Amino acid sequence: MLKSRGFWIGIGLTALLAGWFVWRNWDKFPDMKRAFTEADWRLALLSLPIYFAGLFVRTVRWQYLLRPVKKVSPLRLYPVVIIGLMANNVLPARAGELARAYVLGQREKISKTTAMGTIAVDRLFDGVTLIPMMLIVAAIAGDKANFPVFGHDLNFAGLGIVMAALFGVALGVLFYLAFSDRGRRLLHRMVHRFAPARLKPHVESLLHSFFEGLHALRSPIDLGIAWLMSLVSWLLEATMYYVVARAFGIHEGFYVFLLITAAANLAIAIVATQGGIGAFELVVSKTVIAFAAATVGADSIQKDAAAYAIGLHALLLLPIVAIGLALLWSMDMSFGEVLRGGRAADEPTGAESAPDGAPMRVPVHPRPVAEGPARK
């Protein structure tokens, strides 16, 4: 992990954005301290059950995406989701998704690469939900849905259109691979052509496992339920943001926190710093200022907005990190083991192992075996 270029890029981005946020708010720190002192922390802490309820709904969504591979109870998946979030909060470059795949594979005997296929679809559902949410609220808000960042005005509607294009392409590729034998054969031909001979069987195994993880895309019912679960989960998270804002004396309408939820989570998905540190505070504080400045004044809201962004992020990060580490300990796993296992390549579940030095026989286009309800 320490030798990974992506790791150090993530560290650099985290330091850059966090440093920029601190520099921009350095003169407001005495007022921010007062805002923290005056905040209603009992009300803020009451928002945590709402957040964890939203995470459980997101877990139910993942369960539906996993059903073509294996039936797993949401109660067994919930700790895995929290561990993945914990790893994302302390590592850059979304490394927590690898940790989530590894822990799921260890607990449920599912190929890690198959799990990554379901996680890719799971994360795309976040984009499919958050982008329309941001576009709709930005259209309603009009000129208020702009704020200055790095000397330029950021427009939420324009950002949403760009994000919609990016997520649309990614979702289209996954649907193509899920439904098209031609697309899967094309990838296998590329492996045969470009991969080193000794790695070809293993890479084909990984491709097959990843394709298995995309089978939920073939079920309209599962997709509909997964999207509904995604909408409910993000509405619950926006409610948590709304409650914490009340605790800090910020009284904007609920639609503002729908926009904050969408924009902040899309921003940290792109920047991929540890826990979104820096990027999250920037988007949250600037959005609050953009909407509240007209009613309470820009000067008076800046300290509250910065304090709110930091306090909200602390409530999102610290409990997850503490509970995630405790869950790892209860599973008799170490954080280092999860990191090493998450980065190591695995074989599809049920693949036959070959003797040392012998090539492994892997079917190129086998029909997947589904546990639970079959998906055609």
Side-chain angles (χ1 to χ4, degrees):
M1 177 64 71
L2 293 178
K3 296 180 180 180
S4 167
R5 182 181 300 177
F7 175 84
W8 289 108
I9 291 175
I11 291 288
L13 282 173
T14 301
L16 175 65
L17 291 172
W20 187 85
F21 179 81
V22 170
W23 174 69
R24 291 288 296 177
N25 293 280
W26 184 259
D27 59 333
K28 305 180 188 70
F29 269 81
D31 291 330
M32 288 169 57
K33 182 179 179 180
R34 191 178 308 113
F36 275 110
T37 304
E38 295 173 354
D40 185 348
W41 285 103
R42 288 181 298 179
L43 179 59
L45 291 174
L46 285 175
S47 72
L48 286 177
I50 301 173
Y51 176 61
F52 280 96
L55 290 183
F56 186 78
V57 174
R58 212 178 301 175
T59 303
V60 175
R61 178 186 69 185
W62 190 29
Q63 180 207 22
Y64 274 91
L65 299 176
L66 270 172
R67 285 204 316 176
V69 179
K70 184 176 182 180
K71 275 188 171 181
V72 185
S73 163
L75 293 177
R76 285 188 61 82
L77 287 177
Y78 195 37
V80 180
V81 170
I82 292 176
I83 289 171
L85 287 173
M86 176 273 295
N88 273 336
N89 288 345
V90 298
L91 297 171
R94 311 299 296 182
E97 313 303 354
L98 297 175
R100 177 158 50 135
Y102 174 77
V103 175
L104 177 68
Q106 293 296 103
R107 279 170 64 89
E108 306 299 337
K109 309 306 178 187
I110 297 173
S111 163
K112 181 177 81 239
T113 316
T114 300
M116 280 304 301
T118 67
I119 292 170
V121 178
D122 185 59
R123 281 306 188 182
L124 279 173
F125 266 99
D126 289 335
V128 169
T129 306
L130 292 173
I131 290 171
M133 183 186 297
M134 183 167 69
L135 287 172
I136 292 170
V137 176
I140 295 173
D143 293 339
K144 287 186 177 181
N146 299 289
F147 64 77
V149 56
F150 296 120
H152 301 279
D153 283 339
L154 178 63
N155 179 271
F156 282 117
L159 178 62
I161 292 171
V162 173
M163 293 296 297
L166 294 175
F167 273 87
V169 169
L171 192 61
V173 169
L174 291 185
F175 267 101
Y176 180 67
L177 293 176
F179 282 93
S180 172
D181 290 334
R182 182 179 179 182
R184 293 192 292 272
R185 286 196 298 268
L186 175 62
L187 282 181
H188 282 295
R189 284 198 297 270
M190 291 176 64
V191 169
H192 275 286
R193 183 171 182 178
F194 297 109
R198 63 186 180 85
L199 296 179
K200 286 179 182 179
H202 188 59
V203 175
E204 288 183 351
S205 300
L206 297 178
L207 281 177
H208 169 57
S209 296
F210 184 78
F211 294 153
E212 281 188 335
L214 302 181
H215 282 304
L217 293 175
R218 297 185 176 188
S219 169
I221 295 176
D222 284 353
L223 286 179
I225 294 174
W227 183 84
L228 179 61
M229 294 296 101
S230 184
L231 178 62
V232 172
S233 71
W234 287 112
L235 287 174
L236 285 169
E237 182 154 332
T239 303
M240 184 239 188
Y241 290 21
Y242 177 83
V243 172
V244 177
R246 289 296 187 270
F248 278 85
I250 297 170
H251 298 280
E252 295 303 309
F254 184 69
Y255 74 97
V256 174
F257 299 96
L258 289 174
L259 182 59
I260 290 174
T261 301
N265 282 280
L266 288 171
I268 64 178
I270 297 172
V271 179
T273 59
Q274 284 106 324
I277 293 173
F280 184 90
E281 285 79 7
L282 170 65
V283 172
V284 171
S285 62
K286 291 292 187 180
T287 306
V288 170
I289 292 170
F291 281 89
T295 54
V296 299
D299 292 336
S300 61
I301 194 59
Q302 285 186 8
K303 62 178 179 61
D304 291 333
Y308 165 63
I310 295 172
L312 173 63
H313 210 186
L315 288 169
L316 290 168
L317 297 184
L318 298 181
I320 288 291
V321 170
I323 295 172
L325 290 173
L327 287 170
L328 272 182
W329 177 80
S330 71
M331 296 177 189
D332 199 25
M333 293 184 186
S334 68
F335 192 53
E337 174 193 350
V338 170
L339 291 183
R340 290 189 298 271
R343 291 181 60 83
D346 74 333
E347 312 293 343
T349 303
E352 294 181 4
S353 58
D356 291 342
M360 183 180 65
R361 297 179 61 190
V362 180
V364 176
H365 307 292
R367 182 178 297 275
V369 178
E371 299 185 30
R375 294 288 179 266
K376 295 185 179 179

